[in-house]
Amino acid sequence: MAIEIPAWTKPGIWGGIIGAALITIVGFSTGSVVSGGTAQEMADASGKEATISAMAPVCVAQFKMLSPNNQTAELTALKAESSYKRDDFVIAKGWATMPGSDEPNNEIAQRCASLLMDMTTS
């Protein structure tokens, strides 16, 4: 007894293979599908951004521990710095060194400088 294979089987199999390949290509090229490594990179970047966003207000709070007169003087000095040196200014003042840490964080200093500059315009 011979098994008869329907005529549509071969085109159906090829259609499934081509469809799967196209879905894979479109998914990866549009960013709808990512590899495990890319997903890990995205998670790491998101975690780093969340940490910076959470810690920058601590930096501003350390600045606000100054007396009002000192705050005004420091904001004036910060505003006088070139935009690419403001993070160095914040680091030098010690505001970007988080409680429990011995070293300042440059990314937090950059965000903190930006928040402090916002205080000069308000």
Side-chain angles (χ1 to χ4, degrees):
M1 175 172 189
I3 299 177
E4 253 185 71
I5 299 175
W8 60 265
T9 305
K10 188 174 181 182
I13 291 172
W14 277 112
I17 292 170
I18 292 170
L22 286 174
I23 288 172
T24 302
I25 291 168
V26 169
F28 276 103
S29 66
T30 62
S32 300
V33 177
V34 295
S35 67
T38 301
Q40 185 62 48
E41 289 173 10
M42 292 168 67
D44 290 345
S46 178
K48 184 176 181 179
E49 176 60 30
T51 300
I52 292 168
S53 293
M55 298 311 289
V58 174
C59 176
V60 173
Q62 293 183 140
F63 161 79
K64 288 184 175 182
M65 291 172 53
L66 299 172
S67 69
N69 288 341
N70 286 344
Q71 286 182 22
T72 302
E74 295 294 356
L75 284 176
T76 301
L78 178 64
K79 194 172 184 178
E81 289 288 332
S82 61
S83 60
Y84 63 91
K85 291 211 170 219
R86 289 182 180 144
D87 57 335
D88 294 332
F89 181 88
V90 170
I91 288 171
K93 295 297 179 175
W95 304 326
T97 303
M98 296 295 102
S101 178
D102 295 330
E103 298 292 323
N105 182 291
N106 193 57
E107 289 89 358
I108 292 172
Q110 289 172 351
R111 183 74 53 86
C112 182
S114 176
L115 292 172
L116 292 172
M117 288 304 297
D118 289 347
M119 291 173 59
T120 66
T121 59
S122 56

